[in-house]
Amino acid sequence: MNTSLPAGTLRIEGDIAVLAIQHPPVNALSQVVRETLVKGIALAQAHSAVRAIVLICEGRTFLAGADITEFGKPPQAPSLFEAQDVIELGHKPVIAAIHGTSLGGGFEVALCCHYRVAVPSAKCGLPEVHLGLLPGAGGTQRLPRIVGAAKALDMITGGLHVKAADCLAMGLLDELVPEGQLLAGALAFARKVIDEDRPLRKVRDLDEKMRAARAHPELFADFRKANARKFRGFLAPEYNIRCIEAAVNLPFEQGMQTERKLFLELVAGPQSIAQRYAFFAERQASKIPDVPADTPLVKVAKVGIIGAGTMGGGIAMNFANVGIPVVMVETSQEALDRGLATVRSNYGNTVKRGRLSADAMEKRLDLLTGSLDMQILADCDLVIEAVFEDMAVKKAIFAKLDAIVKPGAVLATNTSALDVNEIASAVSRPEAVVGMHFFSPANVMKLLEVVRGAKTSHTAIATAMDIGKKIGKVAVLSGVCPGFIGNRILRARSLQAQAMLMEGCMPWDIDRVLYDFGMPMGPFAMSDLAGLDLGWSAATSQSATIRDVLCEKGRRGQKTGAGYYDYDAARQAQPSEVTRGIITDFMQRSGHSRREISDTEILERCLFAMVNEACDILAEGIALRASDIDVVWVNGYGWPVYRGGPMHYADTLGRATIAAKLKAYGPLMGAHFKISPTLENAQ
Ligand code: T1G
C-alpha cells in the first residue's frame, strides 16, 4: 500500500511501515513536512498490520532542521512538538533512518524516535547556536539524557556536526548500516525490534546521566569560565548552558518549559535575527546573476601555486586538505624548502592539537610537491600566483604562465588590492585571469574574495567560486578596485583611526572601543600582529607618519616585541609610554592639539566610515549586494556575526541616522571624506 502525503509517501511493507519524507533541498521541517509526519505516523499507527515504523528521507539528507525561513512569521499548525509527540508517545516503535546531516529540529525528531540507525557518512548535531538560537524542540533536554551534561555542553554550544561513528559511541545511534543501503539496513533493524519485542524506549525517561551530573554542579561554572572568551558578546551559548542545567536539575516537562521560554527570547532577539541573516547571506553570495548556475567548470585535478611564502603555503594546504595535488614553485631552493617546512610545521601543530591524525598529515604532505621550474605548471588546471605585491613582478609571472600553462586553465592572482585587469593585460588569454584573494592565515580564514576582471570569463568565475566552496571557503565575488571589498572598507576605518591619534586618542583607546563592540581586535593591535613594516622601507622612510617613526625605532610590531604596544614574553600587549611619547611629539611637531574624544565618537567615526565606503562599493557595483559586503567582513575580518555585518548594522540603526551623524562630524571625518550619495539620500 502506498499513500501519497503532502511531502512524502507512506509505504506498508508487510508489518513495517516506511514513511519517506521528500522536501528538497534539505528536508527542512516546513509546515508540509510537519503535516506529513503527523498524518503519516498516525496512518501507520492506525494500520493493524504495522508493528514498526521506519522514518527515512529522500534526497541528500535526513531532516536538516526547522525551516529557518519560517522564523519571525506566524506559526503554522501542526507544530514541531505535535509531530514529535505522535512519534514518541505512539504505541508502535519508530526507527529513524539517518543519512546526510540530521541537524537541529531534524535531529530532535530523531531523538523522539525510539531507535536511530545511520549510514557511516551521516552526521548529527544541534547547531542552532550558530543561528543565535538553542535547540527549541527538546534537544537541550534529550541530548544530555543520552550523552551526559559535559558532552551535551560541548556539542550544543559548539554547534557540532558529529560523525555517525562518534554518535554510535555516545549512544545517540543504535546501529550503523552499510553505506548506500540505508533503507535495507533500517528495515533489518526494524525486523529485530519486532522479533525481539524491544521496548518503546523514550529518551525523555532516561535519568542516569542526569543524576551523575547533579553530583558535579561545578561543571557548569567551569564550562562558562573555560569558554568565556569564545562566547564573548554572544547570548545563545549562555542560554544553551542554562537549558542543559535545567535538564540536570528539573523534571523533563519543567526543563522543556525553561527551554521554550529561553528559545522564544532568542528567536525574537537582534542577535539571532542577525545570525539567521548571515546564514542566508553566505548562501546568497554564491549566486551571481549573470553567471548561470550551469556554467561549465574547469575540473581542478592539479593546482599550481607560485610563491611558497606564508600565503602560498597556506593556500596550498587548502587544496591538499581536500585531496587535490598541489605543486609549489619558488625561485630558490632555500625559499622552497622554507615554505614546505612551514607547511609541515602547520600540519604538525594540528596533529599535536589532536585535530588531525599523523597518517592524514602524511597523506596531505604527499600531495604537496615543490619545484624551481615553472614548466612543472604546464598541466595544472588552476595556477594561483601568491608572490609579493609588486605589479611588475606579477605581470612578468603571468606572461610566463601564458606561455607555459595548458589552454583552458584558470590563472588566478592572490593580490590583496592590485588591479586584476592590469595583471590580465600581460597574457593572451585575459578571460582566464581571475583574482582569488585569500586571507591570512590562508589555511584558516574562511573568506575568499573572487575578483572579476573586465574580461574574466564566466567559466573562470564559476570555477573559482566552486573550488572555493570545495576547499571550505566562503567565496564572495568582487569587482576590481583598490582593496576590492574588504580592504577598501578596512582602509576607510584606518583613516579615521589614524586621524584620531592626531586628535587626542591613543591606539589602545580605539582598539578597546572596537574590541568591546565585538571585533576580535582593534586596528592597531591588528597592525602589530601583521607587522608595521608591511610595505614600509627604511631607505625611504622620512618620519612622515607615526607608523614610520615606530618602524624607524625598530618598533615593528609583535615580531619585534614592540609596535604600537609593548609586548611581554608571552606576547601580551601593554599600552606603551614610548608610543605615547612618539604620538605626543608628533602632534606637537605637526601643530595638532589634543581634545577629549568619547567612545561614541570613536565607534561612530570608525564604523560609519566603513558603512559609507560600503555604500559606495555597492553603488559602484563592486559588490553585487549589501549582504555580500557583510559576508566579507564577518568571514574575513571577524565582524561579530551576532551583529550581521556593517550593512546589516547600518540597517538596524537606519541609514538616514548614519548620514546625519556623518554630517554632524563634518570636517572631523577628514578633507578626503565624502558622504556616499546612497547614504545621503537615504530616507
Ligand atoms: N531552513 C531553510 N532553508 C535551509 C535550511 C533550513 N534549515 N538549511 C539549508 N537551507 C537551504 C539553504 O538556504 C540553501 O538554499 C539550500 O537549503 C542548500 O543549503 C526547532 C530552531 C543542511 C548542512 O542549522 O547547515 O532546527 O541557496 O547551501 O552546503 O530546534 O544547509 O539553495 O536556495 O547550506 O549541502 C537548524 C542549517 C535550524 C542547519 C546542507 N538546522 N543548514 O549544507 O547546502 S533551526 C540548521 C545547514 C532548528 C529547532 C531549531 C546546511 C546543510 P538555496 P546549503 P549544503
Side-chain angles (χ1 to χ4, degrees):
M1 179 201 96
N2 265 15
T3 305
S4 181
L5 296 161
T9 57
L10 180 69
R11 292 194 308 276
I12 308 297
E13 302 193 5
D15 55 359
I16 300 174
V18 177
L19 177 54
I21 301 295
Q22 182 163 27
H23 189 57
V26 298
N27 291 312
L29 284 153
S30 314
Q31 187 279 336
V32 284
V33 174
R34 300 193 300 273
E35 186 183 348
T36 300
L37 285 171
V38 170
K39 285 182 174 169
I41 295 290
L43 279 171
Q45 299 276 13
H47 194 293
S48 58
V50 170
R51 299 178 63 196
I53 304 163
V54 167
L55 172 59
I56 196 166
C57 291
E58 308 287 352
R60 68 167 97 170
T61 177
F62 188 77
L63 307 167
D67 181 342
I68 309 170
T69 63
E70 288 184 355
F71 293 142
K73 296 172 187 167
Q76 297 170 297
S79 73
L80 186 50
F81 297 111
E82 286 174 71
Q84 290 174 302
D85 286 350
V86 293
I87 293 170
E88 186 178 49
L89 306 180
H91 60 286
K92 296 181 181 176
V94 182
I95 296 99
I98 297 171
H99 74 296
T101 47
S102 170
L103 300 173
F107 190 49
E108 288 172 297
V109 167
L111 289 173
C112 288
C113 295
H114 306 95
Y115 297 93
R116 288 161 292 280
V117 301
V119 289
S121 59
K123 290 183 180 176
C124 303
L126 297 171
E128 288 86 341
V129 70
H130 294 319
L131 298 170
L133 295 171
L134 54 85
T140 66
Q141 305 304 304
R142 289 188 175 89
L143 185 77
R145 280 175 164 79
I146 295 177
V147 305
K151 284 189 180 142
L153 283 168
D154 284 337
M155 205 167 147
I156 289 178
T157 62
L160 305 179
H161 297 191
V162 180
K163 290 178 185 159
D166 295 333
C167 289
L168 181 72
M170 289 194 284
L172 291 171
L173 295 173
D174 296 290
E175 194 172 282
L176 295 189
V177 299
E179 199 67 56
Q181 299 173 39
L182 180 58
L183 179 55
L187 288 169
F189 187 88
R191 183 78 270 134
K192 282 191 285 191
V193 170
I194 294 167
D195 296 347
E196 296 165 16
D197 194 21
R198 290 195 192 182
L200 290 176
R201 188 186 59 183
K202 297 186 186 68
V203 175
R204 62 190 302 157
D205 296 336
L206 301 176
D207 193 49
E208 182 201 341
K209 297 275 176 83
M210 296 300 91
R211 278 198 307 277
R214 280 194 281 276
H216 296 282
E218 74 283 359
L219 168 77
F220 294 97
D222 294 350
F223 185 79
R224 285 185 171 98
K225 190 170 171 211
N227 290 281
R229 187 170 180 78
K230 180 179 159 192
F231 297 156
R232 179 175 73 94
F234 287 93
L235 258 184
E238 172 55 29
Y239 279 41
N240 276 285
I241 295 169
R242 289 183 198 168
C243 287
I244 296 166
E245 278 181 310
V248 171
N249 300 318
L250 298 175
F252 182 81
E253 285 304 339
Q254 288 180 45
M256 287 295 284
Q257 288 165 13
T258 300
E259 179 189 271
R260 185 69 185 155
K261 175 179 175 295
L262 294 180
F263 175 81
L264 292 174
E265 264 188 61
L266 286 177
V267 76
Q271 288 202 0
S272 182
I273 289 167
Q275 290 180 247
R276 296 184 328 248
Y277 158 82
F279 173 86
F280 288 114
E282 214 175 281
R283 284 149 184 84
Q284 269 297 95
S286 63
K287 295 173 177 63
I288 303 164
D290 71 328
V291 178
D294 61 356
T295 297
L297 302 175
V298 172
K299 182 174 172 11
V300 179
K302 181 181 175 187
V303 174
I305 309 279
I306 301 182
T310 308
M311 287 306 288
I315 294 169
M317 291 174 71
N318 289 306
F319 295 97
N321 291 347
V322 295
I324 298 176
V326 190
V327 56
M328 295 205 289
V329 173
E330 255 296 352
T331 51
S332 74
Q333 192 60 46
E334 189 265 338
L336 184 60
D337 292 346
R338 189 170 58 244
L340 289 167
T342 304
V343 169
R344 172 174 283 279
S345 154
N346 287 342
Y347 277 131
N349 293 335
T350 310
V351 171
K352 277 188 205 126
R353 287 197 296 268
R355 289 167 44 200
L356 184 70
S357 69
D359 180 46
M361 177 179 88
E362 290 309 323
K363 285 200 176 95
R364 292 180 188 187
L365 288 171
D366 290 345
L367 289 168
L368 273 169
T369 53
S371 173
L372 303 181
D373 178 5
M374 284 180 74
Q375 289 298 335
I376 199 160
L377 301 171
D379 63 343
C380 288
D381 306 289
L382 167 66
V383 178
I384 303 173
E385 166 272 311
V387 302
F388 55 92
E389 291 290 273
D390 179 295
M391 180 56 83
V393 169
K394 290 181 186 294
K395 289 176 76 172
I397 285 171
F398 272 79
K400 287 179 187 162
L401 290 176
D402 200 20
I404 294 170
V405 181
K406 66 182 180 184
V410 175
L411 308 179
T413 171
N414 173 54
T415 183
S416 58
L418 298 180
D419 185 337
V420 172
N421 291 323
E422 185 170 349
I423 293 171
S425 70
V427 301
S428 63
R429 41 178 151 167
E431 70 282 357
V433 176
V434 68
M436 288 182 76
H437 175 212
F438 291 82
F439 285 71
S440 184
N443 53 310
V444 173
M445 294 302 284
K446 298 272 285 179
L447 180 64
L448 171 66
E449 278 183 324
V450 173
V451 184
R452 171 181 200 164
K455 297 177 180 171
T456 305
S457 69
H458 285 180
T459 286
I461 293 168
T463 300
M465 297 293 287
D466 178 70
I467 197 69
K469 180 166 184 178
K470 284 200 173 83
I471 61 175
K473 300 301 181 187
V474 176
V476 179
L477 187 71
S478 171
V480 175
C481 72
F484 311 134
I485 297 171
N487 283 346
R488 179 169 157 183
I489 291 170
L490 182 68
R491 181 176 177 277
R493 184 183 77 175
S494 300
L495 287 173
Q496 294 305 315
Q498 291 293 342
M500 285 189 274
L501 289 190
M502 292 290 98
E503 297 172 38
C505 283
M506 285 293 145
W508 33 93
D509 301 324
I510 295 168
D511 282 357
R512 169 181 51 78
V513 168
L514 289 167
Y515 179 80
D516 290 349
F517 174 78
M519 298 303 291
M521 61 177 71
F524 299 102
M526 221 170 108
S527 298
D528 275 357
L529 179 65
L532 298 186
D533 52 353
L534 269 182
W536 175 79
S537 156
T540 58
S541 190
Q542 302 286 331
S543 307
T545 63
I546 290 170
R547 190 275 291 257
D548 283 353
V549 175
L550 288 167
C551 287
E552 287 157 15
K553 292 178 179 297
R555 297 176 66 92
R556 299 178 186 177
Q558 279 195 22
K559 63 187 177 185
T560 57
Y564 286 104
Y565 293 85
D566 292 335
Y567 292 90
D568 62 22
R571 288 207 169 191
Q572 288 302 309
Q574 298 299 331
S576 165
E577 288 311 306
V578 172
T579 301
R580 183 189 302 277
I582 289 170
I583 291 172
T584 305
D585 292 349
F586 200 94
M587 286 179 70
Q588 281 162 1
R589 277 190 289 116
S590 51
H592 287 87
S593 54
R594 294 179 55 75
R595 68 180 175 89
E596 273 309 304
I597 298 182
S598 69
D599 288 359
T600 301
E601 179 176 341
I602 292 172
L603 190 69
E604 290 182 343
R605 281 179 58 182
C606 286
L607 297 190
F608 294 175
M610 292 170 66
V611 169
N612 191 66
E613 195 66 36
C615 287
D616 281 343
I617 285 169
L618 194 57
E620 294 165 23
I622 296 295
L624 285 173
R625 46 184 89 82
S627 59
D628 282 9
I629 295 169
D630 289 341
V631 172
V632 164
W633 263 78
V634 165
N635 290 282
Y637 300 81
W639 179 284
V641 67
Y642 58 81
R643 294 184 189 273
M647 298 302 264
H648 178 82
Y649 174 72
D651 289 340
T652 57
L653 295 180
R655 295 193 188 190
T657 301
I658 292 174
K661 292 265 188 170
L662 286 170
K663 281 183 190 137
Y665 285 121
L668 281 175
M669 296 303 290
H672 60 279
F673 188 82
K674 289 179 181 45
I675 296 180
S676 172
T678 52
L679 259 187
E680 188 124 52
N681 307 327
Q683 297 309 318

